[in-house]
Amino acid sequence: MGLDALGYVGIRARDLEAWTTYGTRFLGMQLVDKSGGTLALRMDDRKQRVIVQADANDGPSFYGWEVAGADALDALAAHLEDHGVKVARGSRALAEERRVRDLIVFADPVGNRLEAFHSAEIAPEPFQPGRSISGFRTGPLGMGHAVLTAERIDLAVPFYTDILGFRLSDYFVRPFKAYFFHLNPRHHSLAFIESSRNGIHHLMIELCFLDDVGQGYDLALRKPEMIGTTLGRHTNDQVTSFYSWSPSEFLVEYGWGGRTIDPQTWMPQERTDGPSLWGHDRMWLPPEKREDARDLRINVAEAGGRAPVNVMDGNYLRASDVCPWWNANVAARKTG
């Protein structure tokens, strides 16, 4: 019955042309359809992952969460209705538009349109990125994660945990309140930040090579006003990333090296070391919060905070021994 992963997102945009350029030449997605005030973007073998629709307003329009199959979708619909959630079965035309076999539509307590679906269509042609990148890390982990904002987290979170089955990964309260939730081995597929409005903070997409992120950062540096958060590394999911402002006026995190967890044994915890090991200067924070975030990073640095690098087969080589002091420390840890 449960959700498995974030499968697709819908976005409203006043400037469709800007999204075409941003999605392809900057993010590296593949434009697969552009007609009737809508454009669709691929990230992998799926026919589409991002759907952008021309609109008088900017922002997200829907979030598509994947389930295992028809039985799981029916069970989820019944489960939602048992908990007083109004559910509508997606029409055949809507399923074709989303490139899925079937779907249901409902809303969370703060007004976000959610869609649950199964059997996304696979494209017959190989993925062709919009610029030279290695590709996106998707598959069973989903297309990335969404971080939403809520005026009252206490209204939103119980819906996602008690009804939809999201599980808490961790949380922090400095420099702002944020709670992170997982469905699969990706550290989080969803998070909520306490804010003065209900909406979205950012979408995260993950690349297969660190160089893709660095080269994307170089592109952003040509238009510094695009950068909402500088290059840095998170403490909880250990992603190295930066954030850029999308044409729809929310952030997109462009990252590499996310950790995976074991959902069966993972124990949630409060993170008191702040959201980042280093970097990630958050231009969008008010000055006092921004300074608080900097203090947290300096505290981590002074304490020698470090985290292992998370790699995939094929995107790394082991370095030969180069430092006697380092080698001695590694040997001591192995025998200690």
Side-chain angles (χ1 to χ4, degrees):
M1 179 200 75
L3 306 178
D4 292 336
L6 180 62
Y8 58 76
V9 296
I11 295 166
R12 293 176 284 110
R14 287 178 290 179
D15 191 340
L16 214 57
E17 287 303 319
W19 253 105
T20 302
T21 302
Y22 180 80
T24 59
R25 301 305 303 159
F26 180 67
L27 298 179
M29 297 181 185
Q30 178 186 353
L31 179 65
V32 290
D33 184 38
K34 187 179 180 183
S35 59
T38 301
L39 65 89
L41 298 163
R42 276 182 68 183
M43 295 176 62
D44 53 11
D45 60 342
R46 301 282 178 92
K47 282 194 172 180
Q48 62 187 22
R49 288 285 194 176
V50 178
I51 304 99
V52 186
Q53 299 168 318
D55 195 271
N57 299 300
D58 288 310
S61 54
F62 52 83
Y63 303 92
W65 296 97
E66 188 163 7
V67 301
D71 291 345
L73 189 66
D74 291 342
L76 176 61
H79 176 72
L80 288 167
E81 289 174 340
D82 286 345
H83 284 80
V85 179
K86 185 178 179 180
V87 177
R89 181 69 63 166
S91 67
R92 183 71 258 149
L94 182 61
E96 291 176 358
E97 189 177 304
R98 299 289 192 263
R99 304 291 190 182
V100 300
R101 183 78 55 80
D102 197 7
L103 75 160
I104 59 173
V105 180
F106 54 103
D108 72 10
V110 293
N112 294 301
R113 175 182 167 120
L114 307 181
E115 300 178 358
F117 72 93
H118 74 88
S119 303
E121 294 182 25
I122 304 300
E125 309 86 7
F127 170 63
Q128 296 182 350
R131 69 175 178 89
S132 184
I133 60 169
S134 62
F136 298 99
R137 189 182 184 199
T138 59
L141 301 179
M143 65 170 286
H145 70 237
V147 176
L148 309 183
T149 58
E151 293 178 305
R152 289 187 56 187
I153 290 181
D154 61 319
L155 290 180
V157 166
F159 174 81
Y160 283 90
T161 56
D162 299 345
I163 298 178
L164 292 183
F166 283 82
R167 288 156 284 180
L168 181 66
S169 298
D170 48 41
Y171 68 98
F172 56 80
V173 296
R174 287 181 60 197
F176 47 86
K177 290 182 180 179
Y179 295 78
F180 302 83
F181 304 92
H182 61 270
L183 292 170
N184 57 54
R186 190 183 288 280
H187 175 271
H188 58 280
S189 294
L190 175 74
F192 271 96
I193 291 176
E194 192 168 76
S195 173
S196 60
R197 65 182 183 88
N198 298 323
I200 185 171
H201 183 268
H202 73 263
L203 294 175
M204 180 271 192
I205 53 177
E206 187 175 354
L207 287 296
C208 296
F209 270 75
L210 176 60
D211 293 333
D212 296 322
V213 176
Q215 289 161 0
Y217 197 57
D218 277 345
L219 291 173
L221 286 171
R222 288 189 165 183
K223 296 181 179 179
E225 66 276 9
M226 284 183 63
I227 299 173
T229 302
T230 62
L231 189 68
R233 193 175 188 212
H234 285 302
T235 52
N236 59 359
D237 67 2
Q238 300 172 356
V239 164
T240 299
S241 64
F242 72 96
Y243 297 61
S244 65
W245 289 106
S246 75
S248 293
E249 300 182 356
F250 62 82
L251 293 166
V252 174
E253 182 181 7
Y254 206 61
W256 170 84
R259 75 191 301 181
T260 54
I261 64 173
D262 181 349
Q264 303 305 315
T265 60
W266 182 262
M267 297 297 292
Q269 60 178 313
E270 178 183 358
R271 304 285 318 203
T272 58
D273 48 0
S276 299
L277 278 165
W278 54 268
H280 281 160
D281 203 18
R282 294 165 171 84
M283 317 298 193
W284 49 272
L285 280 175
E288 67 278 5
K289 294 287 187 181
R290 191 174 175 188
E291 195 59 35
D292 191 21
R294 289 171 174 168
D295 289 342
L296 287 167
R297 295 197 300 273
I298 295 302
N299 291 341
V300 171
E302 290 176 344
R306 301 290 184 271
V309 174
N310 304 288
V311 295
M312 306 177 345
D313 285 344
N315 74 353
Y316 73 99
L317 295 173
R318 289 187 62 88
S320 59
D321 296 343
V322 293
C323 176
W325 180 86
W326 171 257
N327 295 342
N329 275 276
V330 172
R333 287 200 299 271
K334 287 181 178 178
T335 58

